[in-house]
Amino acid sequence: MLDATLKTQLKAYLERVTKPIEIVASLDDSAASGELQGLLDDIVSLTDKITLVARTDDGERKPSFLITNPGIDTGVRFAGIPLGHEFTSLVLALLQVGGHPSKEAQETIEQVRNLDGDFHFETYFSLSCHNCPDVVQALNLMSVLNPRIRHTAIDGGLFPAEVEARQIMAVPMVFLNGTHFGQGRMSLEEIVAKVDHNAVARDAEKISARAPYDVLVVGGGPAGAAAAVYAARKGIRTGVAAERFGGQVLDTLGIENFISIKETEGPKFAIALEEHVKHYDVDIMNLQRAEALVPGDDLIEVKLASGASLKAKSLIISTGARWRNINVPGEAEYKNKGVAYCPHCDGPLFKGKRVAVIGGGNSGVEAAIDLAGIVGHVTLIEYDSKLRADEVLQRKLRSLPNVQIIVSAQTTEVKGDGQKVNGLTYRDRVSGQEQSLELEGVFVQIGLVPNTDWLKGTVELSKHGEIVVDAKGQTSVPGVFAAGDATTVPYKQIIIAAGDGAKAALGAFDHLIRTTAPA
């Protein structure tokens, strides 16, 4: 099942195991169970610390397997064959059940151990989803740390009846004690904060007690990370408040144009950003969304959604951007019920079905190409009279037999039956006629909108809502700088955002030495 290279790597990891592990497999006579048996046999052959027990009449999903210690039920179960993006989740689960310590912050680990209640999580994932491993790994770790927490990671592709019954049209999708808990990428900190209802108030109190910073960075994407590193290297007190560290990069699958790195994935790049920032004396406050900016003569205040507030002598705003909505009837109602924004994550859930991609730029055309290999048929809808994607992408798209391209089309409504998407209407911008399509999925790929709503009335914004900055990243408010996709700087690229962050930090430092120097 595993090739020689993977076996060698896994064997080296399993040498870190200090406690005996028992894998309890629930199998039947299906081909998938045979594949799982082969995978588990390979794992067991690599170490004498793991034993395998197979069962056929235990009432569990088949194929699935529990990773536990002999005589102890840790509650870590995979329903499916965790290869692809989830192979790392499998390796980490084996190590953690086997006694290898987690690298998560000790404060968070203790918070998990002290959670009071019985929690049974179920996560539906797809093997091609690059957002899913974060959720699966976080919930697996929680199950290892707290005996009252159980987690089952379920490959939706192997259990289509469950996916249909629960109307799952986006992954990762998480249920807690049988009730919907959340969907999309979630970190361990985010999950814990949702179940520990006193956590937000405790964190807000701690954050508000912090002394003013020389430089406070709001946002943790490439621009914010670069700003934090450049500021910290100047030896000044630096803090970062981020809604989620990594920002939009976390939702990016492949990165091939960041100079010096030939190829990487967004989540890996985000981890590298955070590790680089942590190398310096930077106070990182994650899961903190800015809600208001209050300029002052001496200190600038940022109010957070948690109720906390932070003060600083200078501020760098790098809140990035989010997916732009088409803002038509039905879009919000059917989000995650057929309306999706991540073709890599959710595409496998539409296998063999008819879908539409809205947007004819690079993102839209790339999405249509990817989906064409999974779904039954793709209709690409573009508002303009022609596609705007690179010519090489257009040629590839037009070569695919199950793709239709419609230009000069304005999407007017996403249709559904109350439970899920079943169609879409658009207006032909040439003839003016309304047209309908029967569909089961709509993937929106029409660009980004800056996360600057909280700044209206305090700093100058462009007509598109972008923060107006000068050559040094200075905004219209003295001491307040901005960088990255939230600004008027053209070409929204990771490498440009990182350079912007460095520039803004140098601008903020220059501001500090000029405004705090003795007369």
Side-chain angles (χ1 to χ4, degrees):
M1 187 70 180
L2 299 177
D3 61 36
T5 301
L6 211 51
K7 283 184 179 180
T8 301
Q9 293 173 344
L10 182 55
K11 183 178 178 65
Y13 281 121
L14 292 176
E15 289 175 358
R16 305 176 188 180
V17 170
T18 59
K19 297 193 300 187
I21 299 172
E22 184 177 74
I23 296 177
V24 182
S26 299
L27 305 170
D28 54 21
D29 57 1
S30 66
S33 283
E35 287 184 48
L36 179 58
Q37 178 80 60
L39 172 62
L40 298 180
D41 286 342
D42 281 351
I43 293 171
V44 172
S45 71
L46 300 176
T47 176
D48 59 2
K49 293 188 176 70
I50 302 179
T51 56
L52 175 62
V53 177
R55 295 175 179 168
T56 59
D57 57 353
D58 55 1
E60 297 288 349
R61 293 178 178 87
K62 293 176 177 58
S64 69
F65 62 100
L66 183 71
I67 304 175
T68 186
N69 305 114
I72 303 172
D73 187 352
T74 59
V76 178
R77 178 177 289 274
F78 286 93
I81 306 166
L83 296 175
H85 286 295
E86 291 301 337
F87 186 68
T88 301
S89 302
L90 170 60
V91 175
L92 283 174
L94 290 168
L95 291 176
Q96 290 162 359
V97 172
H100 189 70
S102 168
K103 293 182 179 179
E104 293 289 344
Q106 192 59 39
E107 182 180 4
T108 305
I109 288 174
E110 289 304 316
Q111 190 177 356
V112 173
R113 285 176 173 153
N114 293 328
L115 286 173
D116 185 22
D118 295 308
F119 306 92
H120 180 202
F121 290 96
E122 296 168 291
T123 302
Y124 288 85
F125 67 87
S126 69
L127 295 178
S128 62
C129 170
H130 59 283
N131 289 327
C132 296
D134 280 4
V135 178
V136 171
Q137 290 164 23
L139 290 169
N140 281 346
L141 176 59
M142 290 174 67
S143 299
V144 173
L145 294 173
N146 189 323
R148 298 180 68 181
I149 299 174
R150 305 179 63 81
H151 177 229
T152 303
I154 306 160
D155 181 355
L158 282 183
F159 298 91
E162 289 188 38
V163 169
E164 186 70 23
R166 283 181 150 174
Q167 296 293 314
I168 296 167
M169 306 192 78
V171 290
M173 184 76 72
V174 182
F175 291 82
L176 171 58
N177 298 334
T179 302
H180 179 261
F181 176 77
Q183 70 276 328
R185 179 188 294 276
M186 290 181 283
S187 67
L188 176 63
E189 291 173 304
E190 289 176 283
I191 295 169
V192 173
K194 286 189 73 170
V195 295
D196 184 355
H197 301 297
N198 296 321
V200 173
R202 290 198 306 268
D203 289 346
E205 188 176 348
K206 291 178 185 177
I207 288 171
S208 294
R210 283 169 163 81
Y213 296 96
D214 293 314
V215 172
L216 174 63
V217 181
V218 178
V229 168
Y230 268 73
R233 285 174 61 86
K234 293 296 185 182
I236 56 180
R237 177 169 160 74
T238 305
V240 176
E243 186 169 357
R244 58 172 190 161
F245 206 98
Q248 187 85 6
V249 168
L250 290 166
D251 302 322
T252 303
L253 183 58
I255 298 172
E256 299 177 351
N257 56 358
F258 194 89
I259 306 306
S260 82
I261 301 175
K262 288 194 295 183
E263 184 179 354
T264 187
E265 295 178 352
K268 292 180 180 179
F269 190 80
I271 290 171
L273 289 177
E274 189 168 5
E275 288 177 347
H276 196 172
V277 173
K278 286 180 176 178
H279 180 70
Y280 296 93
D281 186 17
V282 176
D283 186 9
I284 298 177
M285 294 156 282
N286 205 6
L287 308 184
Q288 301 300 325
R289 179 167 56 86
E291 218 170 46
L293 170 64
V294 184
D297 294 333
D298 298 318
L299 293 173
I300 300 159
E301 181 181 6
V302 174
K303 294 183 177 180
L304 305 175
S306 64
S309 94
L310 294 164
K311 294 183 178 180
K313 297 175 184 176
S314 65
L315 179 70
I316 298 173
I317 302 168
S318 56
T319 45
R322 63 189 182 275
W323 290 115
R324 185 182 297 277
N325 294 322
I326 49 177
N327 293 320
V328 300
E331 179 184 20
E333 180 183 354
Y334 291 105
K335 184 177 181 181
N336 296 323
K337 298 177 182 178
V339 175
Y341 300 84
C342 180
H344 303 293
C345 302
D346 301 332
L349 298 174
F350 295 85
K351 184 177 181 180
K353 298 180 180 180
R354 299 180 67 87
V355 305
V357 173
I358 299 177
N362 281 352
S363 295
V365 172
E366 287 175 349
I369 292 170
D370 289 344
L371 288 166
I374 302 171
V375 304
H377 187 271
V378 180
T379 302
L380 186 139
I381 299 173
E382 165 57 30
Y383 180 86
D384 203 350
S385 59
K386 60 183 179 180
L387 302 184
R388 294 166 286 107
D390 295 342
E391 184 59 34
V392 64
L393 294 174
Q394 292 192 43
R395 286 200 301 269
K396 173 64 176 176
L397 181 69
R398 296 179 193 281
S399 72
L400 300 174
N402 61 336
V403 173
Q404 177 188 11
I405 300 170
I406 302 175
V407 297
S408 298
Q410 180 181 4
T411 303
T412 54
E413 185 176 1
V414 175
K415 298 282 192 176
D417 60 7
Q419 297 295 322
K420 57 185 178 180
V421 167
N422 63 14
L424 174 151
T425 60
Y426 68 91
R427 183 177 64 84
D428 186 315
R429 296 179 58 240
V430 177
S431 67
Q433 293 182 337
E434 289 283 333
Q435 304 287 344
S436 297
L437 297 172
E438 291 186 3
L439 303 163
E440 293 169 280
V442 177
F443 288 81
V444 180
Q445 300 281 294
I446 58 170
L448 303 170
V449 58
N451 295 316
T452 56
D453 293 343
W454 63 287
L455 296 169
K456 290 178 179 177
T458 54
V459 301
E460 182 185 357
L461 303 177
S462 72
K463 64 179 181 180
H464 301 297
E466 298 167 321
I467 304 168
V468 177
V469 293
D470 67 12
K472 293 184 178 180
Q474 172 73 57
T475 71
S476 59
V477 177
V480 177
F481 295 76
D485 288 2
T487 73
T488 50
V489 172
Y491 311 121
K492 312 305 185 187
Q493 299 289 312
I494 294 172
I495 196 165
I496 293 174
D500 257 11
K503 180 174 65 177
L506 295 175
F509 180 71
D510 183 64
H511 168 80
L512 287 173
I513 60 177
R514 292 176 185 278
T515 55
T516 59

